[in-house]
Amino acid sequence: MEILGASLRICVDDLEAAIPFYERLADGRALRFERGGVQVAAIGSFLLMSGPEAELEVLRKVAATIAVQDVDEAHRLLTGLGAHILAGPVPTPGGRNLLAMHPDGAVFEYVDQQG
């Protein structure tokens, strides 16, 4: 499995106020979408998230988002290595994802851009 990159997940109180800082920092424009009542802005290596505290509490447990070529391949490898698949693979606005808990207890989201 090839890891293509990783995104840092940052929960913010005011998404609109946070976006200009991260756009300047990453020298890029925000790609915005909503998922499960949470507003998300993807800017370079940053995923800014804002929404109901109950939703953010769950999202804070995910250490990072890992971009991979193929989520199905990641699923097979993670399972073979003893990771526990918490959810997915499921379709998302930008591809597919899964949530996995590694044997050490760390939780990561794995995403691809396949439809």
Side-chain angles (χ1 to χ4, degrees):
M1 171 184 77
E2 181 181 356
I3 294 176
L4 305 174
S7 295
L8 304 169
R9 301 164 65 93
I10 304 166
C11 296
V12 298
D13 292 329
D14 186 340
L15 189 64
E16 296 307 316
I19 286 174
F21 173 85
Y22 286 96
E23 284 182 332
R24 298 250 349 247
L25 182 66
D27 193 27
R29 301 281 303 160
L31 171 64
R32 300 171 190 231
F33 57 93
E34 181 181 341
R35 180 128 187 248
V38 174
Q39 298 296 316
V40 180
I43 309 166
S45 295
F46 302 100
L47 279 179
L48 306 179
M49 300 174 286
S50 184
E53 187 55 38
E55 296 294 327
L56 294 179
E57 184 178 335
V58 172
L59 294 172
R60 283 187 184 101
K61 295 177 182 177
V62 179
T65 297
I66 309 292
V68 296
Q69 190 72 32
D70 183 351
V71 163
D72 293 325
E73 179 185 354
H75 184 278
R76 286 188 295 276
L77 179 60
L78 289 162
T79 301
L81 292 172
H84 176 66
I85 305 303
L86 302 172
V90 296
T92 70
R96 299 175 302 154
N97 80 341
L98 67 80
L99 289 178
M101 180 184 296
H102 294 185
D104 62 8
V107 177
F108 291 89
E109 175 187 34
Y110 290 82
V111 300
D112 68 22
Q113 294 184 347
Q114 299 182 24

